[in-house]
């Protein structure tokens, strides 16, 4: 017999048989969490899939608390911007055109709606995805309305937006460089040290000064504007302890948001 959503043994939708998945999703009561990341360089000390690993883990933790299912993540994202990700010219960074990401996201949302899902959360782990996520949602909802589906609710969030001032004070006692310069820095490195320490080589990290950019962009990009490390600030102050602070504050923040929106 298919199990109910409350009795699912995994948070991951792709680990279920189709009857168990169908039983969990077809009523529209089980939220679907979709992690959206990228394949992007993260300095000399971390792997290319940081932006996939982190939102997937936040989604997993939250799903176990609210009886949701985590969809397979988007492993490629929109092009890295020089002022927030080092730039799309960097080796290893492998990106999608905006139209490709929008079309794929629209299709996936519509497919989950076809299965019966009515509550979806997009858990973003790559800043540059943000506007394309919104466009994909807008197009999906429009086409679903054409098909008579009018009861969808979609939440979009980025985990770092839940880091409050109290946590920032603990994480950056010498001053906060700002989210734009946190690419490959203390936040992501600390989370990776807490979750996937075997993938972090802090001894290889370059202790660079925070990147400094002019108040405009140039295309093609000027590679010399990106620090030689690929990171936009130094990860040297990262720690496992800071990673656990971030895990707690971000997980709790996401949980509160989804409980408020999904009930």
């Amino acid at each position: 017999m298919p199990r109910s959503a409350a009795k699912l043994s995994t948070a991951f939708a792709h680990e279920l048989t189709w009857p168990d998945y169908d039983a969990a999703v077809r009523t529209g009561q089980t939220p679907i969490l979709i992690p959206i990341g990228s394949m992007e360089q993260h300095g000399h000390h971390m792997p290319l899939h940081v932006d996939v690993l982190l939102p997937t883990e936040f989604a997993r933790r939250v799903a176990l608390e609210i009886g949701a299912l985590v969809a397979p993540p988007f492993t490629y994202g929109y092009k890295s911007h020089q002022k927030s990700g080092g730039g799309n010219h960097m080796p290893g960074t492998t990106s999608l055109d905006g139209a490709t990401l929008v079309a794929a996201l629209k299709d996936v949302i519509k497919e989950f709606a076809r299965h019966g899902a009515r509550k979806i959360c997009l858990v973003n782990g790559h800043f540059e995805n943000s506007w394309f996520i919104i466009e994909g949602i807008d197009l999906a909802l429009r086409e679903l309305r054409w098909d008579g589906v009018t009861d969808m609710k979609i939440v979009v969030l980025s985990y770092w937006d839940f880091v409050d001032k109290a946590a920032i004070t603990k994480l950056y006692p010498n001053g906060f460089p700002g989210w734009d310069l946190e690419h490959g820095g203390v936040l992501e490195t600390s989370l990776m040290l807490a979750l996937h320490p075997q993938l972090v080589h802090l001894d290889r990290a370059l202790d660079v000064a925070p990147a400094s950019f002019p108040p405009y962009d140039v295309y093609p990009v000027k590679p010399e504007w990106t620090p030689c490390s690929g990171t936009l600030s130094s990860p040297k102050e990262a720690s496992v302890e800071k990673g656990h602070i971030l895990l707690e504050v971000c997980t709790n923040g996401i949980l509160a948001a989804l409980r408020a929106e999904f009930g």
Side-chain angles (χ1 to χ4, degrees), residues 27-263:
T27 65
Q29 295 306 303
T30 299
I32 302 292
L33 310 185
I34 308 175
I36 304 182
S38 69
M39 182 174 175
E40 182 184 42
Q41 66 80 25
H42 278 75
H44 292 217
H45 65 294
M46 289 199 295
L48 299 172
H49 64 332
V50 168
D51 288 353
V52 177
L53 292 174
L54 296 183
T56 300
E57 177 59 17
F58 281 117
R60 185 192 71 83
R61 288 173 177 238
V62 169
L64 291 172
E65 293 291 329
I66 65 172
L69 284 173
V70 181
F74 277 67
T75 56
Y76 297 96
Y78 184 64
K79 298 160 190 169
S80 178
H81 188 254
Q82 192 166 30
K83 292 181 179 179
S84 55
N88 214 56
H89 65 289
M90 294 291 292
T93 298
T94 308
S95 305
L96 300 177
D97 287 344
T100 306
L101 179 57
V102 167
L105 182 57
K106 180 193 74 170
D107 287 350
V108 167
I109 291 172
K110 289 174 63 181
E111 281 295 277
F112 282 121
R114 179 177 64 83
H115 304 160
R118 293 296 182 267
K119 303 173 184 178
I120 294 176
C121 176
L122 305 178
V123 185
N124 185 34
H126 178 63
F127 175 78
E128 289 86 340
N129 287 337
S130 299
W131 296 110
F132 300 94
I133 291 172
I134 295 170
E135 180 70 358
I137 292 169
D138 184 64
L139 295 180
L141 290 177
R142 183 171 69 188
E143 294 185 15
L144 286 167
R145 286 194 296 270
W146 294 343
D147 292 334
V149 178
T150 60
D151 56 346
M152 293 286 294
K153 176 177 274 194
I154 301 178
V155 174
V156 183
L157 56 86
S158 299
Y159 68 83
W160 54 82
D161 285 334
F162 295 94
V163 182
D164 56 26
K165 291 182 180 179
I168 287 175
T169 299
K170 296 176 184 177
L171 297 168
Y172 305 96
N174 298 317
F176 179 45
W179 292 128
D180 285 351
L181 299 184
E182 253 303 305
H183 177 68
V186 169
L187 178 138
E188 290 181 310
T189 303
S190 294
L191 282 169
M192 287 292 290
L193 284 170
L195 295 171
H196 303 283
Q198 76 281 6
L199 298 178
V200 182
H201 307 281
L202 204 52
D203 58 313
R204 296 171 59 184
L206 301 185
D207 190 14
V208 297
S212 178
F213 296 106
Y216 58 87
D217 300 305
V218 174
Y219 295 96
V221 299
K222 294 184 176 182
E224 64 271 19
W225 283 5
T226 301
C228 61
S229 62
T231 67
L232 300 186
S233 58
S234 175
K236 286 293 189 177
E237 299 301 318
S239 69
V240 173
E241 293 74 21
K242 290 180 179 180
H244 286 295
I245 291 172
L246 287 161
L247 281 174
E248 181 177 4
V249 69
C250 294
T251 301
N252 288 343
I254 297 169
L255 274 171
L258 296 191
R259 284 171 172 153
E261 295 302 327
F262 292 155

